[in-house]
Every structure is written in C-alpha cells, then in structure tokens.
Amino acid sequence: MSDYTIGLTGLTAAATALEIVGNNVSNASTDGYHRQRVELTPSSYGKAGSVAVGAGVDVAGVTRLLDKLLEDEILSQQSSYGQISQELSVMTTVETTFGEFAEDSGLNATIDEFFSALEGLAAHPMESVYRSDVVSAAKVMCSEFQRLGTSVAELQSQIVLEARNIGDSINSLVSQIAELNGRIQNIEVTGAQANNLRDQRDQLISQLAEFVTVETQGREHGIVDVSIGGLPVVSGTLSLDLFVGLMDDGTLDVSPAASQGRSLDVEGGELGGLLRLNNELLDNVGNELDKLAKAIIDNVNRYQVQGLGEDGSFTELTGWGVGDGTLSSLSSEVTDGSFYIRLTDTMTGEIERYEIEVNASGAPPDTAESIAAKINAISGLSASVISSQLHIVSEQNHLFDFMPAVLPEPTNTSFTAASPATVSVSGVYEGDESGMLILTTVGTGTVGNGILRLNVTDADGNLVSTLNIGEGYAAGDSLDLGNGIRIQVGTGQFNHGDSCEIEVLTSSDTSGFLAAVGMNTFFSGASASEMQVCGDISESPDRVATCYGADLTDNTAALRLAGVQDEEVNGLAGMTVNEYYQRLVTGVGQEVALLESRQANVEAMLQNLGNQRDGTSGVNVNDEAARLMVFQQMYQAMAEYMSTLQTTMDTLMNMI
C-alpha cells in the first residue's frame, strides 16, 4: 500500500503547488502581494523487505518570499516621502502666493511704491496730490499684506482640517490591522498559514506608513504590533485611537484619544508633514510676515503721531481700542518715558508744551485711565476712555498736537538788563538726544553794538557754538545754533551772564504710548492680516504728517516717514524692511528647493528598493508559467504512476 501512498502524496504536492502558482499569477498585479512558494520535503522513509525506500513527498508549508529588513526600509522611506511631499506641496503654494517672480510684482514692489510715494511727498510737502498718492500706495500695500497674511492663515486652517481627516484614517487603519491580526491568529494557531491575510495586513501597515512613521514588532501566530510615536496603537487584536487637534497655543498636536493633551512625538508621513508645516514652517512664515507688517506699522506711526499735515493741529482725537486699559495689553510695546502735548491758544497765539510721564513698569503701572487723568489736569484739554478708546478734546479756542518743534520762546529766561532783548526760537531739533540748550551772554551791552556774544552749551556744559550778537549783527537776523535750531535776537540789552534755556526734543514721545493707543496714527493693526490705513487718514489724506515745524511748511516728518524704509529695525534683527522681506522670501524659496532635492532623492531610493523587492517578492508571470508546466507534468506523471499501480494490481488479482 505504500506505493499508493507515494502516489497520493505526489498528487497532493503537485495539486498544492499548482494552487500556489495560480494564486501567484492571479495576484501578479495586486498591491502589497508577496510571491508565495510551496515548500516540499521528502516523506519519512519506508521499507520494502530489508530495503529502505522513500515514502513520497510532504508539503512542509507555503512560504511568503519577503526580506524583512528591506520591507522595514521601504516603510521608513514611504514615511519620509509622505512628509516631504506634503511639505513641498504646501510650501510651493506659499512660494506662489508670495509671487516674487518679477521686480515689479508682489509685496516687495508695493512696499517700494509706498515709500517712493513718501519721498515724493517730502519733495512736494505742500501739494495735496502727493498726499493722495501716499494714501493710495499705503492701501495697496496693506491689501497685499492682508492677502498674504490671510492666505497663510487659511493654509494653516486647511492643514488642521486635513490633519484631523488623516487622524480618522489612521484610526480606521489601526482598527483594520487589529482585526486582521485576530483572523490571522485564529488560522495560524491551528498550524495553517494565512499568507494572503498577512499580505492584506502588511498592505494596511504600508498605507499607515504613508500617513506617519510606524514601528512594527512581530509576535507568535503571525501577529504584528504597531507603534506610533512610541505609543502601541495595535497590540495583538486591540487597537488604540489617536486624537489630532489644536492646543491652546495654536500648535497642532497628536495624543491618545483616551488621554488628550499627552502629546506624542509624531514624525514622518503626511501627518508628520502637516505637523511641521503648521507648527514650524507656516508658523515661521506667518510670524515673520506679521513682524514685518508690525515693524512698518510701528515705525511709520512713531513719526506720524508727532507730525502734522495740511489740516494742522487738532480739536479732537479718538484712538483705537485699548482692551482692559493696562499698558501691557496694548498691541505695541509701551515703555517708561513720556510724551509731550503742545497746546495753542488761538485767541492769543500763546503756545505751551506739557509733559505727560508714562510709568509702564512701576507698581502700580499707568493705565489708559490714569494717563487720561494726567491729560485732564492740563487746562484747555479734557481726556477720557470711552468704549476702551482714549478720547482727547480741546476747549474752545484751543488746538493741540504732539509736535517736537521747539517753542517760539525760550523755556526759561534769566535776564537782568533793564530792557532785555527778546529771543525767538524756531526749527526742528536734529540732534541725538533731547535736553536743554543754554544760551549765556558774554559781555554787557546793546544788541548789535560792541562786543557781545552768546555761548551755546548743552545741559552738560559742553560748548555747542558761539554766536555774535554785538557789532555786525542786525537785530532780528536769524542765527543758526546747529542741529536745525535757529534764533532771532531782537533789540534790547543784555548784562554779562544773562541766560535762557531752550528745550529741544528728538522725539515728542519716548514711551510709545501715543502710537500704541492710536493717537494720530497712519496705520492700524498688529499683524499682516489686520494691517490697514486708519480711517482719518483714508478719509482725509491732508492728515498725512509732513512737518514738525511750527509754521507747517517744513518736510521733516515726510522725510522721516520715507526714511523708515532704510532704518535698521531692532524688531527685524537689525535689518531694513526690504532686507527682512527678502530674507523671508529667500527662506521660502530655499525650503522649496531643499524639499524638491530631498523628494527626488527619496523617490530614487524608493524606486531602487522597489526593484529589489520585486526581485524578491514580485510575481514574474513567465517564471510562474514555467513552474506551472513543471507541476503540471508532475501531476500527470503521478497520475500515470497511479494508473500503472492500478494496472499492476489488477493483473496480480486476475492471476490469483
């Protein structure tokens, strides 16, 4: 009977082999399928009398042909490719959004046009058409900032939505993997093999690797555990869901669904790319764009608030919202310092200047209400905070402004002569530090006669200049004290040692308070998407500051506004506006170029790894056809063998 056993084992082996070949051919185009091979071993030997003979063939199993190290490397590279592709897609969109492909396009061009318009105004400070040009250019620049800021914010919103969708897909995949683990275990615990189910499960793991970097660990009976960010999301037949969402600080976060807030260190794949895009790349682009917008807003406003346009001084000003009124809540930084209000009595022509000290760091610090109370203490002005806005209004026949121009008369005088000469002051101080200029008479006599001069010193006693007001000087002639300040000495006498003081200001607001609360500002907003021209300026371009001088004919304010473009700004790492923007755009371009290079490298690596896997695990139809013929012939031969045995047996039985 052993002869029949041999025949039956041969038929079984051939039939099994044909099934495996058929399975291979039918899955030749199936993603994730690994070629299978039947493992045949000789059966234990038998005896024919005293002679040992073979007992046929056994099917030892069916092997999936795969290289575990190769498969792990492919998973790793798939994750890298998924992340790089996601980042490249979005950053290319950002690069296109900025649109700096030509010199006359994009935000850089609108910035140049705005400051060019200010230069034009500085050259023609008395012409309204140039003020209108400045406002129009400012609106175009604001629109471009808003477009870019909004685009970056919308991209981040889309990223958050996409990340949540990917989180749902990950949860679905880990659930399916756990289910397949159970089915594989139920089959293989009996000693059978579930190779096709393993392929299905491994294909799901491959899909998971496209979303996020995964770590796998094989266990008994074909089970594979899967971890993400160090968290086991598949343990045998159990799965754990993930939660993807925004944290309070705006960062995109991944955590176990059962314990939200416990952040996972997730990398790789499309989800890893979205996390880096939201939390780093786009966040950096958005922050740098906001810094640029705020630098322009703050520095333009810093000069605008101090100056006046063709409309002249104010009877009323209302700022923007100041939140809870504390200085720390304002959009622009306020520091310890002071600001000056210049008050003009239009009936008498008298001009006075008042200093308002700002305590930003003391205990307790000033608030908008406390500053309003200090302004209220000035006769001719009233101030209040209404609906979180600082409101200043002058009494009848009074005008106010914040100009740093010197007052027309000395701040203090110490004249002892019986008929002292008058001293008139004009100009805008161009020195480095605010302070007092002290004019001291050397000699005694009448202006325009004898040896009589004025020594001009600063507050530290350093001699600035010496002016002749004796013989050769005509009373009323203008004398240059330097740094933009001029005086006129009228008829009269001076005694030796007579003196007067002239207060000079480099800035009428060293605290930044006026710009922070929106007093006579040009721009409003604290970010790119919020940046806009203030309503008062937009409705009345003649409010654009051109002058700091009392006669409203100079162009000092316009020059300083135009000079913002070339200032090295501390908030921009010591760079100018254009330099900072160029760095931003260049950084985006470099990131895109780097991602393109990395993507090409990973693509080539995946192609190479894929070719290696095809050589090991892929199905070659021609090879399978050759195996089909071999096993077909084996089956036919075994059938012939069985037929021969039957004929022999029949002959033997007939002989008996």
Side-chain angles (χ1 to χ4, degrees), residues 540-571:
S540 178
D542 286 340
R543 287 276 295 272
V544 177
T546 53
C547 55
Y548 284 169
D551 58 2
L552 304 185
T553 59
D554 66 288
N555 65 348
T556 307
L559 285 173
R560 293 188 182 181
L561 287 170
V564 168
Q565 185 176 24
D566 299 320
E567 287 184 3
E568 294 179 353
V569 184
N570 289 334

PDB file of all heavy atoms in Angstrom, residues 540-571:
ATOM      1  N   SER A 540      -9.187 111.646   4.907  1.00  0.00           N
ATOM      2  CA  SER A 540      -8.583 112.970   4.720  1.00  0.00           C
ATOM      3  C   SER A 540      -7.076 112.838   4.561  1.00  0.00           C
ATOM      4  O   SER A 540      -6.321 112.908   5.538  1.00  0.00           O
ATOM      5  CB  SER A 540      -8.916 113.876   5.915  1.00  0.00           C
ATOM      6  OG  SER A 540      -8.307 115.135   5.769  1.00  0.00           O
ATOM      7  N   PRO A 541      -6.591 112.632   3.331  1.00  0.00           N
ATOM      8  CA  PRO A 541      -5.143 112.493   3.104  1.00  0.00           C
ATOM      9  C   PRO A 541      -4.332 113.687   3.601  1.00  0.00           C
ATOM     10  O   PRO A 541      -3.134 113.559   3.848  1.00  0.00           O
ATOM     11  CB  PRO A 541      -5.047 112.351   1.578  1.00  0.00           C
ATOM     12  CG  PRO A 541      -6.365 111.781   1.169  1.00  0.00           C
ATOM     13  CD  PRO A 541      -7.359 112.414   2.091  1.00  0.00           C
ATOM     14  N   ASP A 542      -4.981 114.848   3.767  1.00  0.00           N
ATOM     15  CA  ASP A 542      -4.244 116.014   4.264  1.00  0.00           C
ATOM     16  C   ASP A 542      -3.826 115.835   5.712  1.00  0.00           C
ATOM     17  O   ASP A 542      -3.098 116.687   6.257  1.00  0.00           O
ATOM     18  CB  ASP A 542      -5.093 117.284   4.126  1.00  0.00           C
ATOM     19  CG  ASP A 542      -5.193 117.761   2.679  1.00  0.00           C
ATOM     20  OD1 ASP A 542      -4.331 117.358   1.879  1.00  0.00           O
ATOM     21  OD2 ASP A 542      -6.128 118.498   2.351  1.00  0.00           O
ATOM     22  N   ARG A 543      -4.266 114.733   6.359  1.00  0.00           N
ATOM     23  CA  ARG A 543      -3.812 114.434   7.711  1.00  0.00           C
ATOM     24  C   ARG A 543      -2.443 113.753   7.714  1.00  0.00           C
ATOM     25  O   ARG A 543      -1.828 113.597   8.777  1.00  0.00           O
ATOM     26  CB  ARG A 543      -4.834 113.508   8.411  1.00  0.00           C
ATOM     27  CG  ARG A 543      -6.134 114.183   8.808  1.00  0.00           C
ATOM     28  CD  ARG A 543      -6.010 114.900  10.135  1.00  0.00           C
ATOM     29  NE  ARG A 543      -5.764 113.988  11.235  1.00  0.00           N
ATOM     30  CZ  ARG A 543      -6.737 113.384  11.943  1.00  0.00           C
ATOM     31  NH1 ARG A 543      -8.000 113.606  11.645  1.00  0.00           N
ATOM     32  NH2 ARG A 543      -6.422 112.586  12.941  1.00  0.00           N
ATOM     33  N   VAL A 544      -1.964 113.323   6.557  1.00  0.00           N
ATOM     34  CA  VAL A 544      -0.640 112.690   6.494  1.00  0.00           C
ATOM     35  C   VAL A 544       0.402 113.700   6.954  1.00  0.00           C
ATOM     36  O   VAL A 544       0.479 114.821   6.445  1.00  0.00           O
ATOM     37  CB  VAL A 544      -0.308 112.210   5.066  1.00  0.00           C
ATOM     38  CG1 VAL A 544       1.103 111.631   5.020  1.00  0.00           C
ATOM     39  CG2 VAL A 544      -1.319 111.171   4.613  1.00  0.00           C
ATOM     40  N   ALA A 545       1.212 113.294   7.933  1.00  0.00           N
ATOM     41  CA  ALA A 545       2.193 114.222   8.516  1.00  0.00           C
ATOM     42  C   ALA A 545       3.310 114.526   7.524  1.00  0.00           C
ATOM     43  O   ALA A 545       3.893 113.617   6.934  1.00  0.00           O
ATOM     44  CB  ALA A 545       2.773 113.634   9.795  1.00  0.00           C
ATOM     45  N   THR A 546       3.577 115.810   7.355  1.00  0.00           N
ATOM     46  CA  THR A 546       4.707 116.241   6.532  1.00  0.00           C
ATOM     47  C   THR A 546       5.678 117.092   7.333  1.00  0.00           C
ATOM     48  O   THR A 546       6.853 117.182   6.978  1.00  0.00           O
ATOM     49  CB  THR A 546       4.220 117.056   5.322  1.00  0.00           C
ATOM     50  OG1 THR A 546       3.380 118.124   5.787  1.00  0.00           O
ATOM     51  CG2 THR A 546       3.444 116.187   4.351  1.00  0.00           C
ATOM     52  N   CYS A 547       5.214 117.721   8.395  1.00  0.00           N
ATOM     53  CA  CYS A 547       6.063 118.698   9.073  1.00  0.00           C
ATOM     54  C   CYS A 547       6.095 118.484  10.577  1.00  0.00           C
ATOM     55  O   CYS A 547       5.181 117.926  11.178  1.00  0.00           O
ATOM     56  CB  CYS A 547       5.572 120.117   8.768  1.00  0.00           C
ATOM     57  SG  CYS A 547       3.842 120.370   9.181  1.00  0.00           S
ATOM     58  N   TYR A 548       7.202 118.938  11.167  1.00  0.00           N
ATOM     59  CA  TYR A 548       7.373 119.002  12.613  1.00  0.00           C
ATOM     60  C   TYR A 548       7.543 120.450  13.075  1.00  0.00           C
ATOM     61  O   TYR A 548       7.604 120.717  14.279  1.00  0.00           O
ATOM     62  CB  TYR A 548       8.609 118.211  13.042  1.00  0.00           C
ATOM     63  CG  TYR A 548       8.434 116.706  13.047  1.00  0.00           C
ATOM     64  CD1 TYR A 548       9.542 115.882  13.199  1.00  0.00           C
ATOM     65  CD2 TYR A 548       7.186 116.117  12.914  1.00  0.00           C
ATOM     66  CE1 TYR A 548       9.407 114.493  13.218  1.00  0.00           C
ATOM     67  CE2 TYR A 548       7.040 114.742  12.917  1.00  0.00           C
ATOM     68  CZ  TYR A 548       8.151 113.932  13.069  1.00  0.00           C
ATOM     69  OH  TYR A 548       8.010 112.566  13.096  1.00  0.00           O
ATOM     70  N   GLY A 549       7.655 121.373  12.137  1.00  0.00           N
ATOM     71  CA  GLY A 549       7.891 122.770  12.467  1.00  0.00           C
ATOM     72  C   GLY A 549       6.603 123.520  12.731  1.00  0.00           C
ATOM     73  O   GLY A 549       5.534 123.190  12.186  1.00  0.00           O
ATOM     74  N   ALA A 550       6.696 124.575  13.536  1.00  0.00           N
ATOM     75  CA  ALA A 550       5.509 125.314  13.960  1.00  0.00           C
ATOM     76  C   ALA A 550       4.799 126.008  12.804  1.00  0.00           C
ATOM     77  O   ALA A 550       3.578 126.192  12.837  1.00  0.00           O
ATOM     78  CB  ALA A 550       5.889 126.333  15.030  1.00  0.00           C
ATOM     79  N   ASP A 551       5.531 126.403  11.753  1.00  0.00           N
ATOM     80  CA  ASP A 551       4.890 127.119  10.647  1.00  0.00           C
ATOM     81  C   ASP A 551       4.266 126.182   9.618  1.00  0.00           C
ATOM     82  O   ASP A 551       3.676 126.625   8.627  1.00  0.00           O
ATOM     83  CB  ASP A 551       5.895 128.050   9.961  1.00  0.00           C
ATOM     84  CG  ASP A 551       7.118 127.289   9.439  1.00  0.00           C
ATOM     85  OD1 ASP A 551       7.157 126.046   9.587  1.00  0.00           O
ATOM     86  OD2 ASP A 551       8.030 127.943   8.893  1.00  0.00           O
ATOM     87  N   LEU A 552       4.408 124.858   9.819  1.00  0.00           N
ATOM     88  CA  LEU A 552       3.779 123.825   8.965  1.00  0.00           C
ATOM     89  C   LEU A 552       4.237 123.902   7.515  1.00  0.00           C
ATOM     90  O   LEU A 552       3.482 123.563   6.589  1.00  0.00           O
ATOM     91  CB  LEU A 552       2.245 123.922   9.029  1.00  0.00           C
ATOM     92  CG  LEU A 552       1.601 123.846  10.417  1.00  0.00           C
ATOM     93  CD1 LEU A 552       0.081 123.843  10.302  1.00  0.00           C
ATOM     94  CD2 LEU A 552       2.080 122.616  11.180  1.00  0.00           C
ATOM     95  N   THR A 553       5.466 124.344   7.300  1.00  0.00           N
ATOM     96  CA  THR A 553       5.965 124.428   5.919  1.00  0.00           C
ATOM     97  C   THR A 553       7.154 123.509   5.659  1.00  0.00           C
ATOM     98  O   THR A 553       7.599 123.402   4.514  1.00  0.00           O
ATOM     99  CB  THR A 553       6.376 125.878   5.589  1.00  0.00           C
ATOM    100  OG1 THR A 553       7.402 126.292   6.503  1.00  0.00           O
ATOM    101  CG2 THR A 553       5.185 126.819   5.693  1.00  0.00           C
ATOM    102  N   ASP A 554       7.684 122.879   6.708  1.00  0.00           N
ATOM    103  CA  ASP A 554       8.860 122.025   6.506  1.00  0.00           C
ATOM    104  C   ASP A 554       8.429 120.631   6.037  1.00  0.00           C
ATOM    105  O   ASP A 554       7.233 120.310   5.971  1.00  0.00           O
ATOM    106  CB  ASP A 554       9.667 121.921   7.807  1.00  0.00           C
ATOM    107  CG  ASP A 554       8.897 121.201   8.900  1.00  0.00           C
ATOM    108  OD1 ASP A 554       7.927 121.803   9.437  1.00  0.00           O
ATOM    109  OD2 ASP A 554       9.225 120.044   9.215  1.00  0.00           O
ATOM    110  N   ASN A 555       9.379 119.816   5.709  1.00  0.00           N
ATOM    111  CA  ASN A 555       9.100 118.443   5.246  1.00  0.00           C
ATOM    112  C   ASN A 555       9.760 117.394   6.143  1.00  0.00           C
ATOM    113  O   ASN A 555       9.986 116.258   5.718  1.00  0.00           O
ATOM    114  CB  ASN A 555       9.570 118.260   3.811  1.00  0.00           C
ATOM    115  CG  ASN A 555      11.092 118.368   3.675  1.00  0.00           C
ATOM    116  OD1 ASN A 555      11.776 118.802   4.608  1.00  0.00           O
ATOM    117  ND2 ASN A 555      11.616 117.979   2.524  1.00  0.00           N
ATOM    118  N   THR A 556      10.068 117.792   7.387  1.00  0.00           N
ATOM    119  CA  THR A 556      10.808 116.898   8.272  1.00  0.00           C
ATOM    120  C   THR A 556      10.077 115.584   8.517  1.00  0.00           C
ATOM    121  O   THR A 556      10.673 114.501   8.467  1.00  0.00           O
ATOM    122  CB  THR A 556      11.079 117.590   9.623  1.00  0.00           C
ATOM    123  OG1 THR A 556      11.698 118.847   9.387  1.00  0.00           O
ATOM    124  CG2 THR A 556      11.971 116.726  10.488  1.00  0.00           C
ATOM    125  N   ALA A 557       8.783 115.664   8.801  1.00  0.00           N
ATOM    126  CA  ALA A 557       8.018 114.443   9.084  1.00  0.00           C
ATOM    127  C   ALA A 557       7.988 113.529   7.869  1.00  0.00           C
ATOM    128  O   ALA A 557       8.152 112.309   7.978  1.00  0.00           O
ATOM    129  CB  ALA A 557       6.603 114.800   9.516  1.00  0.00           C
ATOM    130  N   ALA A 558       7.769 114.112   6.682  1.00  0.00           N
ATOM    131  CA  ALA A 558       7.724 113.302   5.463  1.00  0.00           C
ATOM    132  C   ALA A 558       9.061 112.619   5.211  1.00  0.00           C
ATOM    133  O   ALA A 558       9.110 111.447   4.801  1.00  0.00           O
ATOM    134  CB  ALA A 558       7.339 114.172   4.267  1.00  0.00           C
ATOM    135  N   LEU A 559      10.155 113.335   5.463  1.00  0.00           N
ATOM    136  CA  LEU A 559      11.477 112.737   5.282  1.00  0.00           C
ATOM    137  C   LEU A 559      11.686 111.569   6.244  1.00  0.00           C
ATOM    138  O   LEU A 559      12.230 110.526   5.863  1.00  0.00           O
ATOM    139  CB  LEU A 559      12.562 113.796   5.491  1.00  0.00           C
ATOM    140  CG  LEU A 559      12.763 114.813   4.363  1.00  0.00           C
ATOM    141  CD1 LEU A 559      13.737 115.893   4.797  1.00  0.00           C
ATOM    142  CD2 LEU A 559      13.260 114.115   3.093  1.00  0.00           C
ATOM    143  N   ARG A 560      11.270 111.763   7.490  1.00  0.00           N
ATOM    144  CA  ARG A 560      11.454 110.684   8.456  1.00  0.00           C
ATOM    145  C   ARG A 560      10.550 109.495   8.147  1.00  0.00           C
ATOM    146  O   ARG A 560      10.949 108.343   8.335  1.00  0.00           O
ATOM    147  CB  ARG A 560      11.198 111.212   9.871  1.00  0.00           C
ATOM    148  CG  ARG A 560      12.256 112.229  10.301  1.00  0.00           C
ATOM    149  CD  ARG A 560      12.140 112.620  11.750  1.00  0.00           C
ATOM    150  NE  ARG A 560      13.145 113.624  12.093  1.00  0.00           N
ATOM    151  CZ  ARG A 560      13.298 114.155  13.304  1.00  0.00           C
ATOM    152  NH1 ARG A 560      12.489 113.773  14.303  1.00  0.00           N
ATOM    153  NH2 ARG A 560      14.224 115.060  13.536  1.00  0.00           N
ATOM    154  N   LEU A 561       9.350 109.758   7.675  1.00  0.00           N
ATOM    155  CA  LEU A 561       8.462 108.658   7.267  1.00  0.00           C
ATOM    156  C   LEU A 561       9.081 107.876   6.112  1.00  0.00           C
ATOM    157  O   LEU A 561       9.088 106.641   6.112  1.00  0.00           O
ATOM    158  CB  LEU A 561       7.089 109.206   6.863  1.00  0.00           C
ATOM    159  CG  LEU A 561       6.185 109.704   7.989  1.00  0.00           C
ATOM    160  CD1 LEU A 561       4.972 110.428   7.429  1.00  0.00           C
ATOM    161  CD2 LEU A 561       5.745 108.541   8.868  1.00  0.00           C
ATOM    162  N   ALA A 562       9.607 108.601   5.126  1.00  0.00           N
ATOM    163  CA  ALA A 562      10.232 107.928   3.983  1.00  0.00           C
ATOM    164  C   ALA A 562      11.481 107.184   4.413  1.00  0.00           C
ATOM    165  O   ALA A 562      11.824 106.133   3.851  1.00  0.00           O
ATOM    166  CB  ALA A 562      10.571 108.948   2.894  1.00  0.00           C
ATOM    167  N   GLY A 563      12.167 107.704   5.432  1.00  0.00           N
ATOM    168  CA  GLY A 563      13.402 107.070   5.897  1.00  0.00           C
ATOM    169  C   GLY A 563      13.199 105.765   6.625  1.00  0.00           C
ATOM    170  O   GLY A 563      14.172 105.027   6.862  1.00  0.00           O
ATOM    171  N   VAL A 564      11.944 105.446   6.986  1.00  0.00           N
ATOM    172  CA  VAL A 564      11.675 104.172   7.665  1.00  0.00           C
ATOM    173  C   VAL A 564      12.153 103.000   6.824  1.00  0.00           C
ATOM    174  O   VAL A 564      12.624 101.980   7.348  1.00  0.00           O
ATOM    175  CB  VAL A 564      10.162 104.041   7.978  1.00  0.00           C
ATOM    176  CG1 VAL A 564       9.812 102.617   8.416  1.00  0.00           C
ATOM    177  CG2 VAL A 564       9.755 105.043   9.052  1.00  0.00           C
ATOM    178  N   GLN A 565      12.057 103.128   5.516  1.00  0.00           N
ATOM    179  CA  GLN A 565      12.456 102.031   4.633  1.00  0.00           C
ATOM    180  C   GLN A 565      13.916 101.655   4.800  1.00  0.00           C
ATOM    181  O   GLN A 565      14.285 100.480   4.650  1.00  0.00           O
ATOM    182  CB  GLN A 565      12.173 102.405   3.181  1.00  0.00           C
ATOM    183  CG  GLN A 565      12.459 101.261   2.203  1.00  0.00           C
ATOM    184  CD  GLN A 565      12.090 101.615   0.779  1.00  0.00           C
ATOM    185  OE1 GLN A 565      12.045 102.786   0.410  1.00  0.00           O
ATOM    186  NE2 GLN A 565      11.813 100.605  -0.037  1.00  0.00           N
ATOM    187  N   ASP A 566      14.743 102.615   5.121  1.00  0.00           N
ATOM    188  CA  ASP A 566      16.186 102.363   5.203  1.00  0.00           C
ATOM    189  C   ASP A 566      16.686 102.240   6.632  1.00  0.00           C
ATOM    190  O   ASP A 566      17.890 102.084   6.851  1.00  0.00           O
ATOM    191  CB  ASP A 566      16.953 103.491   4.499  1.00  0.00           C
ATOM    192  CG  ASP A 566      16.600 103.581   3.018  1.00  0.00           C
ATOM    193  OD1 ASP A 566      16.456 102.527   2.387  1.00  0.00           O
ATOM    194  OD2 ASP A 566      16.444 104.712   2.519  1.00  0.00           O
ATOM    195  N   GLU A 567      15.789 102.304   7.609  1.00  0.00           N
ATOM    196  CA  GLU A 567      16.198 102.157   9.001  1.00  0.00           C
ATOM    197  C   GLU A 567      16.494 100.699   9.325  1.00  0.00           C
ATOM    198  O   GLU A 567      15.801  99.795   8.841  1.00  0.00           O
ATOM    199  CB  GLU A 567      15.103 102.667   9.945  1.00  0.00           C
ATOM    200  CG  GLU A 567      14.954 104.166   9.985  1.00  0.00           C
ATOM    201  CD  GLU A 567      13.915 104.594  11.014  1.00  0.00           C
ATOM    202  OE1 GLU A 567      13.365 103.719  11.714  1.00  0.00           O
ATOM    203  OE2 GLU A 567      13.653 105.808  11.113  1.00  0.00           O
ATOM    204  N   GLU A 568      17.499 100.481  10.145  1.00  0.00           N
ATOM    205  CA  GLU A 568      17.773  99.145  10.656  1.00  0.00           C
ATOM    206  C   GLU A 568      16.930  98.960  11.914  1.00  0.00           C
ATOM    207  O   GLU A 568      17.139  99.638  12.919  1.00  0.00           O
ATOM    208  CB  GLU A 568      19.258  98.981  10.964  1.00  0.00           C
ATOM    209  CG  GLU A 568      20.132  99.047   9.713  1.00  0.00           C
ATOM    210  CD  GLU A 568      21.610  98.904  10.027  1.00  0.00           C
ATOM    211  OE1 GLU A 568      21.957  98.889  11.227  1.00  0.00           O
ATOM    212  OE2 GLU A 568      22.413  98.811   9.076  1.00  0.00           O
ATOM    213  N   VAL A 569      15.961  98.053  11.835  1.00  0.00           N
ATOM    214  CA  VAL A 569      14.948  97.918  12.884  1.00  0.00           C
ATOM    215  C   VAL A 569      15.335  96.801  13.839  1.00  0.00           C
ATOM    216  O   VAL A 569      15.619  95.668  13.415  1.00  0.00           O
ATOM    217  CB  VAL A 569      13.566  97.621  12.255  1.00  0.00           C
ATOM    218  CG1 VAL A 569      12.489  97.565  13.332  1.00  0.00           C
ATOM    219  CG2 VAL A 569      13.223  98.680  11.209  1.00  0.00           C
ATOM    220  N   ASN A 570      15.335  97.118  15.142  1.00  0.00           N
ATOM    221  CA  ASN A 570      15.675  96.096  16.140  1.00  0.00           C
ATOM    222  C   ASN A 570      14.719  94.911  16.075  1.00  0.00           C
ATOM    223  O   ASN A 570      15.126  93.758  16.201  1.00  0.00           O
ATOM    224  CB  ASN A 570      15.648  96.709  17.548  1.00  0.00           C
ATOM    225  CG  ASN A 570      16.801  97.666  17.787  1.00  0.00           C
ATOM    226  OD1 ASN A 570      17.850  97.541  17.158  1.00  0.00           O
ATOM    227  ND2 ASN A 570      16.607  98.620  18.668  1.00  0.00           N
ATOM    228  N   GLY A 571      13.432  95.185  15.872  1.00  0.00           N
ATOM    229  CA  GLY A 571      12.445  94.111  15.799  1.00  0.00           C
ATOM    230  C   GLY A 571      12.600  93.220  14.587  1.00  0.00           C
ATOM    231  O   GLY A 571      11.987  92.154  14.503  1.00  0.00           O
TER     232      GLY A 571
END
